[in-house]
Amino acid sequence: MMKIYKSFFIALSFLGLNACNYLDVVPDNVATVDYAFRMRSQAEKYLFTCYSYLPEYGNWGSNPGLLTGDEIWLFYPYQTAPDVSRPPEVWEVARGNQTMLNPYLDYWDGGNGGKSMFQAIRDCNTFLENIHLVPDMDEPEKKRWIAEVKFLKAYYHWFLFRMYGPIPIVDANFPISSTPEQVQVYREPADSVVNYIVRLLDTAAMDLPPLILDQVSEMGRITSTIAKAVKAKVLITAASPLFNGNADYANFVDNRGIHLVNTTFDPSKWERAAAACKEAIDLLHENGAKLYRFNPAVNTYDLGPEMQTQMDIRNAVTEKWNSEIVWGSNNSMVGSLQRYSQAIIDPSSNLSSLTQRPKKEYAPSMKIAEMFYTENGLPIDADPTWDYERRYELDTATADDKYYIKQNYVTAKLHFDREPRFYADLGFDGGIWYGQGNFDQEEAWHVEGKLGQISGRSRSDEHSVTGYFTKKLVHFLNVLQTSGSYTVQTYPFPVIRLADLYLYYAEALNEAGRTTEAFEWINRVRERAGIPGVEESWSMSTTPGKIHSIEGFREIIQQERLIEMALEGTRYWDLLRWKKAESVINQPVRGWDVGQSETLLYYQPVVLFNQTFKKKNYLWPIQENSLIKNSNLVQNPGW
């Protein structure tokens, strides 16, 4: 991938690309563009320029799914000392401070952490219009490059659609001779945008390889399996309540009188989504994809079944190019995000290094901790064997808990008898943290999170404000040196995993009235997670009949998805497409009282922030200046 980065920066320098938007009439540097397609080597640089607009998924200041919802909370107010690591300003979206004057994460025009997706589409069009001019390429390679750029063009439309809803379709760049009136484009109806994206993805997939064979220089480039997986995501979103029969958008109309979102529910959209999921899964299975299991080439780790399951879960995300990764985004390797997620767990570490030490700020909220199941695979309020009412009281870990909680450590009952994903994904006071230079599961590191303890609050900025830590995103081979330096094993951010598609498929099958068929796909995910299948678990629940209705199983699938995909940037988008953000995000953000050193005082839930989510927040605002430039554009409802 270093080859891609080098080519991208060279391309930028000779193309002289400037920030502009899709309304520009005259292409930049016409003579230079002609030069770019005289030889294969130059055209390849333009190809990688088209790739360069892919969002930096591993960057918490650029990925809209990481900090804009209710999953992670950070310290506030911001500090101004020179050695303080401030949270990205995009977190202001979660705090209810998004604006249309200068939007955070502006992927429409570009700015405030966002790249202009319309500029990206424009460059893709330029590539497609000129690639036929390159003389020193064979046709199979040229067809592959064209397919890659068609995918990217579709993906950039999709990325905009997911954020803004109905968008202009930019199928070709405007010629130089275009009049001002001709470039005053309209937003197209949501269904038209979706159909356009799907057609492009299907066309691209025909000429893409299913696998990357040259893994040294080409990993991260687009395959047909990626194209089919993205198609499934697009159609799942289009079938979901936000865009399928949403009566809230009855007055979402442009100046032509065209309704931009169909307010009539169409059940066939779920059948179409189910077919797309099955198509993607079948292609992935044919090419060797499977749910990940931890099986290192050199077996130096003596793991029991408890820790083995936790490593199955953790490494499904952090092990490069494992069997479950459908699309890893290595234009943004996960590095610094691990530093912000890592709890300090080695008491011998010298923490004087200001730049290299773990920051321990990326803190899951208590809402996330309570979301995970019990060890029986049930929600904590639906398991009659689990003491939900006393969950904030204290208990002492025994030898039976030692692979999850430090033996003899006193912690909240909330942390006992939970499913393996709880322990694999979250660090908490008393919780075991395997790895980080210590691979003896009998003497593994553990978190000590109270004031004055090694993992606890030691300064006003670098601490978990909730008492929880994001273990899931931390590679187990990272090491905190005694010098205070933190050695990080970077990995491509997992944009799509196979488990992601299994749960999409289960959801689509259920919504299409095929609930029993959905059991298989949710159970595949649960088996890897170390919990019973849904039939077995729910037979023990307080509502055993819930599994047999579409409405009941919908809730089960949604919670399963929120758990499996937790902390990977998908929760925010799922809550939006389900139209559940108004009820879920409009709840207080809570954590433990991390300013306390005494156990009893520490384990008091405190409200950190009263979050608000308004109906207008389902779609992001278009910058006001864009509406002034083009009177044919209409703003999203409520802004």
Side-chain angles (χ1 to χ4, degrees):
M1 197 61 187
M2 184 59 67
K3 179 180 178 184
I4 294 180
Y5 286 139
K6 288 179 179 177
S7 298
F8 161 49
F9 287 117
I10 293 170
L12 286 183
S13 64
F14 85 81
L15 287 173
L17 296 176
N18 298 313
C20 51
N21 62 42
Y22 70 98
L23 296 174
D24 291 333
V25 179
V26 182
D28 295 335
N29 305 308
V30 174
T32 308
V33 169
D34 289 341
Y35 177 79
F37 294 96
R38 288 182 180 178
M39 297 176 60
R40 179 192 178 280
S41 59
Q42 301 302 320
E44 185 177 40
K45 295 171 186 176
Y46 209 110
L47 169 67
F48 295 144
T49 297
C50 294
Y51 267 96
S52 72
Y53 292 98
L54 284 171
E56 297 174 10
Y57 280 106
N59 183 336
W60 63 343
S62 301
N63 183 342
L66 292 180
L67 282 185
T68 52
D70 63 344
E71 205 164 25
I72 297 294
W73 213 249
L74 305 167
F75 66 86
Y76 195 87
Y78 297 136
Q79 307 295 310
T80 57
D83 65 331
V84 167
S85 301
R86 287 183 50 162
E89 289 192 353
V90 299
W91 182 47
E92 290 293 338
V93 176
R95 293 178 54 81
N97 296 326
Q98 181 63 290
T99 172
M100 69 176 184
L101 295 177
N102 189 24
Y104 295 103
L105 285 177
D106 186 354
Y107 278 98
W108 188 286
D109 291 297
N112 285 343
K115 306 174 184 179
S116 171
M117 293 291 100
F118 285 113
Q119 174 65 41
I121 294 167
R122 183 171 174 272
D123 281 349
C124 289
N125 284 337
T126 298
F127 180 93
L128 295 172
E129 291 164 2
N130 291 278
I131 185 62
H132 69 281
L133 300 174
V134 181
D136 58 335
M137 289 182 67
D138 58 39
E139 283 304 309
E141 183 176 48
K142 192 174 291 188
K143 289 174 71 173
R144 180 188 174 187
W145 286 15
I146 290 171
E148 287 179 83
V149 174
K150 284 183 177 179
F151 169 88
L152 293 170
K153 179 178 171 180
Y155 190 77
Y156 297 142
H157 277 89
W158 150 245
F159 195 88
L160 286 166
F161 174 77
R162 185 170 60 170
M163 291 184 76
Y164 301 99
I167 60 169
I169 294 174
V170 187
D171 192 46
N173 290 338
F174 290 109
I176 296 174
S177 59
S178 298
T179 66
E181 290 75 20
Q182 289 174 320
V183 300
Q184 299 290 298
V185 297
Y186 285 92
R187 301 175 71 174
E188 298 301 324
D191 289 345
S192 298
V193 176
V194 168
N195 290 334
Y196 174 78
I197 293 169
V198 168
R199 285 196 302 270
L200 262 183
L201 291 172
D202 280 337
T203 302
M206 291 189 292
D207 292 319
L208 289 169
L211 296 172
I212 296 298
L213 300 179
D214 184 356
Q215 297 190 3
V216 175
S217 62
E218 292 191 348
M219 288 304 286
R221 289 177 67 170
I222 301 304
T223 62
S224 59
T225 50
I226 293 173
K228 293 300 184 181
V230 170
K231 174 185 172 181
K233 286 176 70 76
V234 172
L235 290 176
I236 284 283
T237 300
S240 298
L242 183 61
F243 295 113
N244 190 5
N246 188 350
D248 293 337
Y249 292 149
N251 297 319
F252 192 7
V253 182
D254 66 15
N255 63 18
R256 301 169 295 182
I258 293 178
H259 287 264
L260 296 180
V261 174
N262 193 333
T263 57
T264 302
F265 173 70
D266 182 356
S268 70
K269 289 182 177 180
W270 281 113
E271 286 285 3
R272 188 184 184 194
C277 290
K278 186 63 163 58
E279 180 185 26
I281 290 169
D282 286 347
L283 184 60
L284 283 158
H285 286 173
E286 289 170 14
N287 287 279
K290 57 185 177 180
L291 294 182
Y292 173 84
R293 301 283 183 167
F294 180 62
N295 186 23
V298 180
N299 191 10
T300 58
Y301 315 106
D302 184 15
L303 301 180
E306 300 90 350
M307 199 60 69
Q308 174 70 42
T309 299
Q310 292 182 55
M311 296 302 289
D312 290 346
I313 296 163
R314 288 180 64 183
N315 285 278
V317 172
T318 62
E319 184 174 314
K320 293 180 181 178
W321 312 122
N322 69 70
S323 62
E324 186 170 336
I325 301 296
V326 178
W327 186 12
S329 177
N330 60 348
N331 73 316
S332 178
M333 302 291 281
V334 183
S336 63
L337 188 57
Q338 296 189 66
R339 180 171 287 109
Y340 285 99
S341 300
Q342 174 72 64
I344 297 172
I345 49 181
D346 182 356
S348 68
S349 298
N350 181 344
L351 302 179
S352 61
S353 172
L354 296 179
T355 58
Q356 296 300 316
R357 67 181 176 226
K359 305 297 184 181
K360 56 183 181 179
E361 298 172 20
Y362 198 70
S365 66
M366 184 175 287
K367 182 190 303 184
I368 300 305
E370 295 190 317
M371 170 188 70
F372 288 87
Y373 295 143
T374 69
E375 62 185 350
N376 294 319
L378 289 168
I380 59 176
D381 60 352
D383 188 337
T385 70
W386 201 84
D387 194 350
Y388 178 78
E389 296 302 326
R390 299 174 62 201
R391 64 192 183 280
Y392 302 139
E393 296 181 12
L394 301 180
D395 204 351
T396 303
T398 68
D400 292 339
D401 306 305
K402 67 178 182 178
Y403 299 122
Y404 308 115
I405 304 170
K406 177 70 174 176
Q407 189 171 349
N408 298 321
Y409 203 94
V410 177
T411 185
K413 287 181 177 290
L414 181 66
H415 301 154
F416 288 85
D417 303 321
R418 305 297 296 277
E419 63 160 312
R421 286 178 295 196
F422 176 84
Y423 302 104
D425 289 8
L426 301 181
F428 57 89
D429 180 46
I432 297 298
W433 194 304
Y434 179 79
Q436 299 5 113
N438 179 2
F439 305 111
D440 181 356
Q441 69 168 7
E442 303 300 325
E443 298 292 337
W445 302 122
H446 67 280
V447 175
E448 295 186 1
K450 294 181 283 294
L451 183 68
Q453 294 183 314
I454 185 64
S455 316
R457 176 175 176 173
S458 56
R459 30 188 292 165
S460 59
D461 57 318
E462 292 180 6
H463 67 281
S464 165
V465 297
T466 66
Y468 292 100
F469 303 86
T470 308
K471 190 196 301 184
K472 185 179 191 178
L473 299 183
V474 177
H475 199 293
F476 83 107
L477 292 178
N478 294 354
V479 178
L480 177 60
Q481 308 287 350
T482 55
S483 65
S485 179
Y486 185 55
T487 304
V488 174
Q489 302 286 325
T490 61
Y491 58 89
F493 192 92
V495 182
I496 306 175
R497 293 193 286 122
L498 186 60
D500 192 7
L501 287 173
Y502 284 175
L503 294 174
Y504 276 145
Y505 190 31
E507 180 181 353
L509 287 171
N510 181 61
E511 296 297 336
R514 298 155 63 186
T515 301
T516 304
E517 290 180 58
F519 291 171
E520 174 188 351
W521 302 97
I522 193 172
N523 283 343
R524 291 190 184 205
V525 175
R526 289 170 69 96
E527 180 185 11
R528 195 268 302 278
I531 55 176
V534 287
E535 304 99 318
E536 180 181 349
S537 287
W538 283 89
S539 68
M540 300 183 290
S541 76
T542 55
T543 54
K546 187 172 184 177
I547 193 173
H548 299 298
S549 71
I550 292 177
E551 296 76 17
F553 197 53
R554 177 187 298 141
E555 292 183 11
I556 294 170
I557 292 172
Q558 288 179 353
Q559 183 160 353
E560 188 76 43
R561 180 168 179 79
L562 294 177
I563 292 171
E564 175 64 28
M565 304 305 298
L567 308 170
E568 295 181 50
T570 64
R571 174 186 173 91
Y572 174 77
W573 300 114
D574 284 333
L575 292 177
L576 262 58
R577 69 181 179 86
W578 293 330
K579 286 193 68 182
K580 296 185 72 171
E582 284 174 278
S583 59
V584 176
I585 296 181
N586 275 332
Q587 297 175 12
V589 177
R590 300 189 305 155
W592 299 118
D593 193 347
V594 299
Q596 303 292 336
S597 58
E598 296 295 327
T599 303
L600 189 61
L601 296 177
Y602 177 90
Y603 282 109
Q604 299 297 318
V606 296
V607 174
L608 301 172
F609 190 78
N610 286 307
Q611 220 174 353
T612 59
F613 186 98
K614 300 177 181 178
K615 199 174 294 293
K616 70 177 184 179
N617 296 124
Y618 281 108
L619 297 178
W620 289 49
I622 301 171
Q623 187 180 128
E624 189 175 52
N625 193 44
S626 290
L627 304 177
I628 295 172
K629 287 181 180 179
N630 181 358
S631 60
N632 288 336
L633 292 178
V634 292
Q635 181 62 278
N636 278 326
W639 291 99

